[in-house]
Amino acid sequence: STGFVYKDEKGKINLPLPNLLGDFQIDNVSTAIAVARNIKKFNINKSHIKKAIVNIRSEGRLQNITHGKLRNYVKKNNKILIDGAHNILAAIQIKKYLKSLNTKKKIIMMLGMMSNKDHNDFIKKLKGVIDKIVVLDIPNQINFVKKEKLLKIAHSYGISAKTENSITSAFKNISKENSDAIIFCTGSLYFVGEILNLN
């Protein structure tokens, strides 16, 4: 199986790939290892690191929802992926990941964003890998961008888009129209947090 080599002044370790989707996670994991190895009181050894990497659970980062209440709203061939991405760098990584899926399935993006983010660039960056955007207001938050504004932005880039009134109705309606689509929920950690709460 494939893995990666972690190297610092204490030596190098051959490690399994982290239990996370997306290449950029190797950088994130390496940063965490460097920090852990440099805190003396932790006394971390190679076997600790290997064990931890394989068991990482990253909530809301390219997370595949395989069970829970959300699955009741969609067909069995729908895949639900969530990621708290909310800036242009994250959008670039997501685009790379979605392209790597190399799938014939439609990718429908469920999007909710906070108002202080760069909505235009985020949406523009994902043009070409997603088939449609379903935009929502983020529940239980004040500083979100109104879905109507996100809808306008999507349309301005020629991306098919529509609004929904709730997360559950969005899942149900997307699944009704596309029973084997990948439903990709993103745009804000608050938004994916609300989705995970429903699960």
Side-chain angles (χ1 to χ4, degrees):
S1 76
T2 53
F4 71 106
V5 177
Y6 169 86
K7 213 160 72 185
D8 63 17
E9 68 281 0
K10 292 187 168 75
K12 61 182 197 176
I13 323 174
N14 289 310
L15 291 169
L17 284 176
N19 177 31
L20 298 166
L21 301 168
D23 298 345
F24 61 100
Q25 300 288 10
I26 289 180
D27 295 342
N28 296 348
V29 166
S30 298
T31 306
I33 295 170
V35 171
R37 269 165 66 105
N38 279 301
I39 296 174
K40 293 201 173 49
K41 68 172 188 209
F42 282 171
N43 198 9
I44 298 235
N45 66 33
K46 287 179 191 179
S47 68
H48 293 143
I49 294 171
K50 284 185 179 166
K51 198 169 162 191
I53 282 187
V54 187
N55 292 311
I56 295 172
R57 285 195 55 221
S58 174
E59 296 289 337
R61 300 258 63 160
L62 283 172
Q63 189 178 346
N64 185 4
I65 305 294
T66 51
H67 51 271
K69 290 196 185 110
L70 294 176
R71 298 290 330 163
N72 302 334
Y73 306 129
V74 300
K75 307 283 187 293
K76 74 173 189 327
N77 286 336
N78 284 126
K79 185 174 193 170
I80 301 174
L81 275 178
I82 61 170
D83 192 291
H86 47 259
N87 59 33
I88 192 73
L89 280 173
I92 292 166
Q93 295 295 351
I94 281 171
K95 184 170 191 166
K96 202 168 134 188
Y97 174 73
L98 292 176
K99 273 187 157 156
S100 79
L101 293 177
N102 197 5
T103 177
K104 300 273 178 282
K105 291 181 177 222
K106 278 194 153 54
I107 299 175
I108 315 287
M109 182 161 86
M110 205 191 286
L111 184 69
M113 296 189 82
M114 297 300 277
S115 50
N116 58 346
K117 304 298 174 203
D118 190 347
H119 320 111
N120 272 295
D121 276 353
F122 189 86
I123 291 172
K124 183 181 174 186
K125 189 45 78 188
L126 291 163
K127 184 184 171 154
V129 284
I130 51 167
D131 294 276
K132 186 178 188 176
I133 303 181
V134 175
V135 288
L136 291 109
D137 291 342
I138 301 178
N140 306 314
Q141 293 297 324
I142 321 167
N143 300 320
F144 59 81
V145 194
K146 289 220 161 21
K147 57 190 176 192
E148 292 76 15
K149 185 180 174 187
L150 292 173
L151 185 74
K152 267 203 186 99
I153 296 171
H155 286 157
S156 76
Y157 291 118
I159 303 169
S160 160
K162 61 182 269 198
T163 59
E164 271 292 353
N165 293 323
S166 77
I167 292 169
T168 47
S169 66
F171 276 116
K172 286 176 181 167
N173 291 331
I174 291 169
S175 181
K176 209 178 286 173
E177 281 176 42
N178 297 281
S179 59
D180 71 343
I182 293 169
I183 305 171
F184 181 59
C185 313
T186 192
S188 157
L189 289 165
Y190 293 105
F191 184 52
V192 303
E194 292 295 332
I195 293 171
L196 285 171
N197 281 342
L198 288 173
N199 203 36

